[in-house]
């Protein structure tokens, strides 16, 4: 593979899923070592967290990574720093400045294991911090943890792109603002015991003033102060980023939905809110009007607490159609919404989803709907218009039960379908009719990944006959029939032989059935990945 141009190798390496380990690739060759370093060490702690098999040794891996970064500079950031015995098996200093590749700093990742590398910070003499001190910080004596944050961020501050910090500690980085010329994403989290801002708002305003238009993404996680009397003050941090912000993520802050009017909307393309709302939701003007402000929105995650959430967008669509006949008609700007994720009671969720598919039919690519707990609605989710770009549909709960499968015939580009109907199946359901409708409609799509979760009544005949679903199943690369009622082990064994494109199969079965399927996989030499949930 070394014979490939480095540009091609770089594209391949960057396409590796986040959960796959990159470290072994460092040992392949010098070329791979050089290309993998920037990917692995932009934030090695985050990478360790995402690799599942590393969890049993996560602390050990993180302490080794921290030790490596502390010793990576030709002139160590911390002279005289004492490490635990055995914590540093490499030569000192390191042969490579690993910290020069560091582009994403997270206080969270370091907070809990610095003490595993630096013994007893209260009794360890404070080391000298190289090239990151400032007049404003010379009068105080920062802790070792603070010095590590200043050192990691300040070592190559002009390359730092993402910063995750607690609200009450971000002020320590204010002296580094002139050097933070690449910072585009800021994540603030507010611990429950914090009751005041000690510099975060100043940091945001100073950075925005020094580097106008640079900071484009902000994420807030708040509890305690952020969920009580200080909620409006928390919202001011989003407001301070200014009109250039493109991503606002407050999924970790339940009060965030109440302050939509304060969020900058001029350039916002991604608005992600927590899908549960405060017990007493107070929204002057209502949620539809608040959403309407974001006229460049492409991605929306939102609580469905208003059936008319997108009624304005349907009206806009009708007005746009009328404008083609009469130029004098004034048309409200409709956002190019491509990804929608809603959660709520069916009486609100289903009308909102229906209106969205109508209003944004030309741009919609992904739809996710999750029903909240409660009685099923008599409403039906369906549409009779083409959704030419829809590639992913994910419905869970009673909204999946109330979905008219015939709507799938209007989704020619659909590639991923997930329908989790749970355990509350209406008595009016006819399993054979549903299986036939599903097969007929899927034949008109490009679905390659199908998940039928919950108590679907699917028989062996539905899965194994050409005239039912088999013709569609043959082209799938992923099939999930976990907890479906009806299929037997014989049907699963048959599908493993017939589905030549299959890469992943998720089913449930007894321990004996699991052993049989694993044995069949070995006998046939199949490359399919099996996930068999034990039952019985």
């Amino acid at each position: 593979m070394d014979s490939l141009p480095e540009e091609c190798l770089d594209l391949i390496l960057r396409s590796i899923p986040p959960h796959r380990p990159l470290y072994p690739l460092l040992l392949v060759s010098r070329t791979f070592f050089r290309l993998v370093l920037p990917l692995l060490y932009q934030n090695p702690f985050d990478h360790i967290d995402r690799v599942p098999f590393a969890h049993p040794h996560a602390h050990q891996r993180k302490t080794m990574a921290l030790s490596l970064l502390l010793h990576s500079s030709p002139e160590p950031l911390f002279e005289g720093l004492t490490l635990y015995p055995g914590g540093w098996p490499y030569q000192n200093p390191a042969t490579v400045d690993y910290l020069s590749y560091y582009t994403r700093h997270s206080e969270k990742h370091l907070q809990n294991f610095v003490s595993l590398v630096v013994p007893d910070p209260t009794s360890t003499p404070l080391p000298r911090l190289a090239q990151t001190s400032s007049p404003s910080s010379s009068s105080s004596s920062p802790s070792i943890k603070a010095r590590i944050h200043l050192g990691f961020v300040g070592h190559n501050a002009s390359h730092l792109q993402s910063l995750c910090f607690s609200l009450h500690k971000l002020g320590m980085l204010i002296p580094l603002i002139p050097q933070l010329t690449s910072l585009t994403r800021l994540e603030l989290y507010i611990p429950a015991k914090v009751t005041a801002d000690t510099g975060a708002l100043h940091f945001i305003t100073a950075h925005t003033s020094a580097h106008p238009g640079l900071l484009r993404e902000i994420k807030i996680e708040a509890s305690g102060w952020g969920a009580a009397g200080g909620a409006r003050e928390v919202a001011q941090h989003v407001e301070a980023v200014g009109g250039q912000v493109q991503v606002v993520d407050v999924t970790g802050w339940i009060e965030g939905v109440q302050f939509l009017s304060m969020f900058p909307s001029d350039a916002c393309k991604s608005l992600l809110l927590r899908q549960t709302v405060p017990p007493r939701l107070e929204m002057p003007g209502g949620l539809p009007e608040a959403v309407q402000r974001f006229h460049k929105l492409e991605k929306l995650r939102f609580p469905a607490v208003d059936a008319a959430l997108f009624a304005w967008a349907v009206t806009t669509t009708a007005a746009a159609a009328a404008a083609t006949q009469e130029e004098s008609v004034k048309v409200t700007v409709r956002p190019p919404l491509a990804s929608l994720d809603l959660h709520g009671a069916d009486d609100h969720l289903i009308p909102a989803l229906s209106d969205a598919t109508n209003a944004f039919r030309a741009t919609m690519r992904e739809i996710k709907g999750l029903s909240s707990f409660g009685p099923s609605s008599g409403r039906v989710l369906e549409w009779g218009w083409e959704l030419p770009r829809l590639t992913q549909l994910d419905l869970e709960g009673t909204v999946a039960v109330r979905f008219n499968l015939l709507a799938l015939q209007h989704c020619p580009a659909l590639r991923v379908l997930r329908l989790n109907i749970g355990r509350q199946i209406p008595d009016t359901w006819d399993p054979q009719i549903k299986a036939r409708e599903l097969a007929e409609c899927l034949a008109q799509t490009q679905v390659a990944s199908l998940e039928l979760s919950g108590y679907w009544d699917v028989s062996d005949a539905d899965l194994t006959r050409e005239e039912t679903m088999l013709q569609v199943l043959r082209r799938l690369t992923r099939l999930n029939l976990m907890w479906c009622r009806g299929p037997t082990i014989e049907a699963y064994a048959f599908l493993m032989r017939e589905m030549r494109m299959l890469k992943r199969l998720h089913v449930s079965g007894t321990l004996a059935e699991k052993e049989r399927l694993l044995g069949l996989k070995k006998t046939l030499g199949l490359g399919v990945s099996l996930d068999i949930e034990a039952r019985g």
Side-chain angles (χ1 to χ4, degrees):
M1 187 176 285
D2 272 355
S3 61
L4 288 173
E6 289 194 5
E7 293 81 359
C8 295
L9 290 175
D10 186 61
L11 288 174
I12 293 172
L13 292 172
R14 290 181 184 277
S15 67
I16 296 176
H19 64 277
R20 303 296 296 178
L22 288 173
Y23 178 79
L25 296 178
L26 292 173
L27 310 178
V28 173
S29 67
R30 292 182 179 180
T31 300
F32 270 69
F33 183 86
R34 179 165 42 81
L35 293 176
V36 170
L37 272 182
L39 303 179
L40 185 58
Y41 284 95
Q42 59 186 352
N43 187 344
F45 313 109
D46 185 41
H47 179 74
I48 291 170
D49 281 341
R50 290 198 303 252
V51 179
F53 79 83
H55 285 177
H57 310 288
H59 268 301
Q60 180 183 356
R61 290 173 180 266
K62 288 179 180 179
T63 53
M64 295 295 289
L66 177 58
S67 298
L68 182 64
L69 293 176
L70 286 173
H71 291 75
S72 68
S73 176
E75 293 184 6
L77 293 173
F78 302 93
E79 295 180 2
L81 184 66
T82 303
L83 302 181
Y84 274 121
W88 179 248
Y90 309 111
Q91 65 184 70
N92 190 4
T95 56
V96 176
D97 184 3
Y98 293 93
L99 201 52
S100 66
Y101 301 107
Y102 197 66
T103 63
R104 302 175 184 175
H105 182 74
S106 172
E107 181 194 10
K108 276 186 174 182
H109 285 132
L110 294 174
Q111 194 68 21
N112 296 325
F113 65 92
V114 168
S115 58
L116 299 178
V117 179
V118 183
D120 192 10
T122 58
S123 61
T124 302
L126 289 176
R128 180 174 65 83
L129 181 63
Q131 300 178 349
T132 59
S133 59
S134 66
S136 62
S137 62
S138 59
S139 59
S140 60
S141 181
S143 67
I144 286 182
K145 288 183 179 180
R147 287 173 177 258
I148 288 177
H149 291 308
L150 286 166
F152 278 18
V153 174
H155 180 64
N156 203 5
S158 62
H159 286 188
L160 198 74
Q161 300 172 9
S162 176
L163 187 60
C164 175
F165 235 79
S166 57
L167 183 90
H168 63 300
K169 294 182 181 179
L170 184 60
M172 74 169 68
L173 301 181
I174 290 177
L176 300 177
I177 285 178
Q179 305 170 50
L180 295 172
T181 56
S182 298
L183 183 65
T184 59
R185 180 177 177 85
L186 179 62
E187 300 181 13
L188 293 177
Y189 67 94
I190 308 173
K193 295 182 180 180
V194 172
T195 58
D197 177 3
T198 55
L201 189 59
H202 182 195
F203 177 94
I204 294 174
T205 54
H207 186 275
T208 302
S209 175
H211 312 289
L214 182 63
L215 194 59
R216 296 187 293 274
E217 301 182 17
I218 185 166
K219 179 179 180 179
I220 302 285
E221 294 183 19
S223 58
W225 182 56
R232 177 166 293 276
E233 287 81 356
V234 174
Q236 290 175 352
H237 293 78
V238 181
E239 185 179 36
V241 179
Q244 79 277 2
V245 67
Q246 296 181 7
V247 177
V248 175
D249 183 349
V250 290
T251 53
W253 180 31
I254 192 172
E255 303 288 335
V257 67
Q258 298 190 124
F259 300 96
L260 277 178
S261 60
M262 296 177 62
F263 296 172
S265 60
D266 291 345
C268 186
K269 296 181 179 180
S270 182
L271 179 61
L272 311 177
L273 276 77
R274 187 159 179 155
Q275 292 183 317
T276 53
V277 297
R280 296 181 61 185
L281 179 61
E282 299 177 2
M283 276 295 300
L287 288 177
E289 290 77 6
V291 174
Q292 192 173 351
R293 293 176 50 244
F294 296 83
H295 57 270
K296 292 187 178 180
L297 206 58
E298 297 178 3
K299 183 175 183 179
L300 178 64
R301 186 179 190 267
F302 212 77
V305 293
D306 192 328
L309 188 61
F310 297 109
W312 60 271
V314 176
T315 303
T316 300
T317 302
T324 60
Q325 305 295 328
E326 184 179 347
E327 295 183 359
S328 61
V329 175
K330 184 178 180 180
V331 181
T332 304
V333 176
R334 185 176 67 253
L337 193 62
S339 177
L340 179 63
D341 184 352
L342 297 180
H343 171 233
D346 286 352
D347 283 337
H348 297 149
L349 176 64
I350 292 178
L353 287 174
S354 180
D355 284 347
T357 60
N358 186 0
F360 310 111
R361 63 179 77 176
T363 56
M364 190 65 71
R365 296 179 183 272
E366 300 177 0
I367 295 177
K368 183 175 182 180
L370 172 62
S371 296
S372 58
F373 292 106
S376 176
S377 169
R379 297 176 181 268
V380 176
L381 176 60
E382 59 185 348
W383 52 83
W385 42 83
E386 197 88 348
L387 298 179
R389 297 188 179 184
L390 187 68
T391 59
Q392 183 172 337
L393 178 61
D394 184 341
L395 301 176
E396 181 172 344
T398 48
V399 66
V401 177
R402 306 301 303 176
F403 176 57
N404 186 351
L405 296 173
L406 296 179
L408 294 174
Q409 61 188 333
H410 301 295
C411 309
L414 192 66
R415 294 193 58 82
V416 179
L417 176 62
R418 178 178 181 266
L419 298 174
N420 185 341
I421 61 177
R423 302 182 181 184
Q424 299 180 8
I425 312 303
D427 296 333
T428 56
W429 260 41
D430 187 319
Q432 293 182 345
I433 293 179
K434 288 294 179 181
R436 184 169 63 250
E437 288 179 350
L438 186 61
E440 292 175 355
C441 295
L442 287 180
Q444 302 179 53
T445 70
Q446 301 179 31
V447 167
S449 175
L450 175 63
E451 178 175 336
L452 301 178
S453 300
Y455 282 5
W456 282 86
D457 284 310
V458 183
S459 67
D460 285 4
D462 294 329
L463 297 174
T464 59
R465 291 181 180 177
E466 293 283 353
E467 61 271 20
T468 53
M469 297 182 65
L470 182 58
Q471 188 174 357
V472 173
L473 295 179
R474 280 200 175 102
R475 72 169 188 237
L476 299 185
T477 58
R478 178 179 178 270
L479 177 62
N480 188 337
L481 298 176
M482 199 78 74
W483 301 114
C484 283
R485 298 187 297 186
T488 65
I489 189 66
E490 284 72 21
Y492 296 146
F494 177 84
L495 292 177
M496 288 176 62
R497 295 186 180 94
E498 291 291 322
M499 298 174 65
R500 301 296 183 183
M501 305 290 291
L502 191 64
K503 295 180 180 179
R504 293 184 180 180
L505 177 62
H506 310 259
V507 296
S508 54
T510 64
L511 183 59
E513 291 171 340
K514 177 178 180 179
E515 293 298 327
R516 179 178 170 182
L517 291 180
L518 291 173
L520 178 63
K521 172 186 173 181
K522 183 177 181 179
T523 301
L524 298 179
L526 301 177
V528 61
S529 174
L530 290 177
D531 179 13
I532 306 172
E533 184 77 14
R535 60 173 171 79

